[in-house]
């Protein structure tokens, strides 16, 4: 039997879940069509692993519902978790979790490790072994089939874990930062393998990552999660060019500042961002325009932020920020301030703003964005309901 023939029939994922955590509830509405690939991005502690745990059946739901959906015209739904129903146990969900560290069984050789899933699903010993060997061949480790995991490098072990995950024939594969524990040499190989096998098998996937490049390579859609709520739903390439959340902006290298959307001077049609007593001019994002009187984000590319001397209040267009990072390279100086804005200016401009020399961490500067995109600062699920 070829490894490819074990491919599951197309299944998607539909979840609307609430998990209680001490500091906040993790709430997410996620829909991944059969064969779709969704990246889950967000800062540390945002709730990404909690969501994967809930989908896998390891974390109980407080509210909501998780279902796998069939593809084709007769779309069927299999509910895995919902209030008042007994939750489907982890091993019966058809959902496989690939973690950062390859958690292989140390007492089993590689072929037995990979054959474990198919055997647990009731496949005969010989057939499961042939399938496992096929997968080991695919990940380039067939010649190590009889060895135990401890004889392999971390990258090789992750390739075995990948073979094991796919050999189980999951409807949905959950990938929790699958390259985080790998070095720069192993990462491209494992990433290439994963990209290829996801495309070849058409397995529906949910990927947690901190890298925009992973979302770009492996996902067709992504969501940004902050403090347990979804702040942005978009395509990976859009995050890179037009982010609409704090984390998305930071990930793509933009500066982002929080404020209130206020009417422009003399009630001008174009709103401004009020940050403390500064009024920053901006252009409302056409797809997520902020409402006046509500909190909003101002997002700017570093090259659109100027530095002014502290006592320069021209048009009250600047905001004072404390410097938290300075990087000088190739005739440019990148300055990051604690208020979220990032500026990228020439050394001469930096010297003008500081009165000579480069800014130092802890000093205060006036940052004036010349072009700010104003975006509503609202939970996505709230907006959708
Ligand atoms: N087993 C648990 N019991 C209770 N609270 C937890 C548990 N695991 C995580 N938390 C809390 O839930 C919140 C979300 O954590 P989670 O690990 O899901 O975030 P994450 O986005 O995956 O973070 P990271 O990127 O650091 O892995 C955090 O406040 C965390 O402290």
């Amino acid at each position: 039997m070829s490894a490819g023939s074990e491919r599951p029939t197309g299944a998607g994922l539909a979840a609307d879940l609430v998990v209680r955590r001490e500091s906040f509830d993790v709430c997410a509405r996620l829909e991944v069509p059969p064969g779709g690939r969704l990246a889950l991005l967000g800062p540390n502690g945002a709730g990404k692993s909690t969501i994967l745990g809930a989908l896998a059946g390891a974390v109980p739901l407080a509210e909501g519902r998780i279902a796998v959906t069939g593809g084709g015209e007769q779309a069927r739904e299999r509910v895995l978790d919902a209030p008042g129903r007994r939750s489907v146990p982890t091993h019966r969900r058809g959902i496989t979790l690939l973690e950062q560290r390859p958690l292989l069984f140390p007492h089993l050789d590689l072929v037995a490790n990979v054959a474990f899933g198919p055997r647990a699903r009731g496949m005969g010993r010989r057939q499961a072994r042939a399938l496992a060997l096929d997968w080991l061949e695919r990940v380039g480790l067939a010649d190590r089939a009889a060895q135990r995991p401890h004889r392999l490098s971390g990258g090789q072990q992750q390739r075995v874990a990948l073979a094991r995950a796919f050999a189980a024939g999951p409807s949905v594969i959950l990938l929790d930062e699958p390259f985080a524990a790998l070095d720069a040499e192993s990462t491209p190989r494992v990433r290439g393998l994963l990209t290829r096998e996801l495309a070849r098998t058409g397995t529906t996937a949910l990927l947690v990552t901190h890298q925009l490049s992973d979302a770009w390579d492996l996902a067709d859609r992504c969501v940004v999660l902050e403090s347990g709520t979804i702040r942005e739903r978009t395509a990976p390439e859009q995050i890179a060019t037009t982010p609409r959340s704090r984390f998305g902006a930071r990930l793509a290298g933009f500066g982002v500042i929080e404020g209130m959307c206020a009417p422009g001077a003399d009630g001008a049609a174009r709103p401004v961002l009020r940050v403390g007593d500064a009024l920053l001019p901006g252009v409302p994002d056409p797809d997520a325009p902020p409402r006046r009187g509500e909190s909003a984000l101002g997002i700017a590319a570093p090259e659109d932020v100027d530095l002014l001397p502290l006592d320069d209040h021209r048009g009250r267009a600047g905001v004072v920020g404390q410097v938290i990072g300075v990087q000088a390279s190739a005739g440019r100086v990148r300055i990051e301030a604690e208020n979220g804005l990032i500026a990228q200016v020439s050394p001469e401009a930096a010297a003008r703003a500081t009165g000579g020399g480069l800014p130092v961490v802890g000093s205060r500067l006036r940052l004036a964005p010349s072009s700010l995109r104003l975006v509503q600062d609202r939970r996505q699920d709230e907006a959708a309901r």
Side-chain angles (χ1 to χ4, degrees), residues 247-262:
F247 187 78
R250 302 302 306 232
L251 201 61
F254 288 73
V256 56
I257 189 160
E258 297 170 24
M260 290 290 288
C261 180

Side-chain angles (χ1 to χ4, degrees), residues 4 59 63 116-117 125 136 144 146 182-183 225 237 243 268-269 297 334 375:
V59 174
E63 290 171 39
F116 188 85
R125 186 187 300 272
L136 284 174
R144 314 285 291 266
L182 301 182
D183 64 20
L225 195 76
E237 54 276 18
L297 303 177
R334 188 178 185 277
V375 181

Side-chain angles (χ1 to χ4, degrees), residues 161-245:
L162 214 135
R164 187 176 63 173
F166 278 105
S171 300
V172 178
I173 190 163
L174 307 176
L175 305 156
D176 196 355
E177 296 186 58
F179 317 122
L182 301 182
D183 64 20
E185 210 172 309
S186 301
T187 300
R189 180 156 193 185
V190 176
R191 183 202 289 261
L193 249 175
L194 187 55
T195 312
R196 193 181 73 216
E197 292 308 328
L198 281 175
R200 192 180 67 84
T201 59
T203 308
T204 305
L206 217 118
L207 165 79
V208 164
T209 178
H210 287 117
Q211 304 292 330
L212 194 51
S213 54
D214 289 345
W216 193 289
D217 281 354
L218 290 162
D220 39 48
R221 297 287 299 164
C222 55
V223 298
V224 176
L225 195 76
E226 290 174 358
S227 306
T229 62
I230 291 178
R231 295 290 178 160
E232 185 169 6
R233 292 177 194 275
T234 187
E237 54 276 18
Q238 260 210 308
I239 291 230
T241 57
T242 333
R244 296 196 172 92
S245 63

Side-chain angles (χ1 to χ4, degrees), residues 29-210:
R29 198 169 42 75
L30 302 170
E31 269 172 39
V32 194
R37 291 183 238 144
L38 179 73
L40 210 50
L41 301 160
N44 287 133
K48 304 179 297 294
S49 301
T50 299
I51 292 177
L52 293 197
L55 296 173
V59 174
L61 284 193
E63 290 171 39
R65 180 173 191 280
I66 296 172
V68 283
T69 55
E73 290 188 359
Q74 294 139 359
R76 281 178 303 111
E77 247 197 12
R78 186 163 80 101
V79 177
L80 304 177
D81 248 335
R85 292 176 82 117
R86 191 192 296 181
S87 115
V88 174
T90 304
H91 62 283
R92 296 232 181 90
R93 292 194 169 209
I95 294 180
T96 292
L97 176 63
L98 181 71
E99 303 193 66
Q100 279 181 26
R101 298 198 173 276
L103 301 174
L104 301 173
F105 300 118
H107 59 291
L108 298 180
D109 63 16
L110 302 191
V111 75
N113 261 283
V114 179
F116 188 85
R119 288 283 291 143
R121 275 194 0 247
M123 189 181 282
R125 186 187 300 272
R126 198 178 289 184
Q127 203 183 1
R129 191 179 160 79
L131 177 68
L133 280 170
D134 226 355
W135 272 104
L136 284 174
E137 179 85 50
R138 225 165 244 299
V139 300
L141 288 165
D143 56 335
R144 314 285 291 266
Q147 293 181 1
R148 301 254 172 102
H150 72 270
R151 308 252 326 251
L152 271 58
S153 72
Q156 289 168 332
Q157 289 188 31
Q158 191 64 319
R159 277 151 58 197
V160 177
L162 214 135
R164 187 176 63 173
F166 278 105
S171 300
V172 178
I173 190 163
L174 307 176
L175 305 156
D176 196 355
E177 296 186 58
F179 317 122
L182 301 182
D183 64 20
E185 210 172 309
S186 301
T187 300
R189 180 156 193 185
V190 176
R191 183 202 289 261
L193 249 175
L194 187 55
T195 312
R196 193 181 73 216
E197 292 308 328
L198 281 175
R200 192 180 67 84
T201 59
T203 308
T204 305
L206 217 118
L207 165 79
V208 164
T209 178
H210 287 117

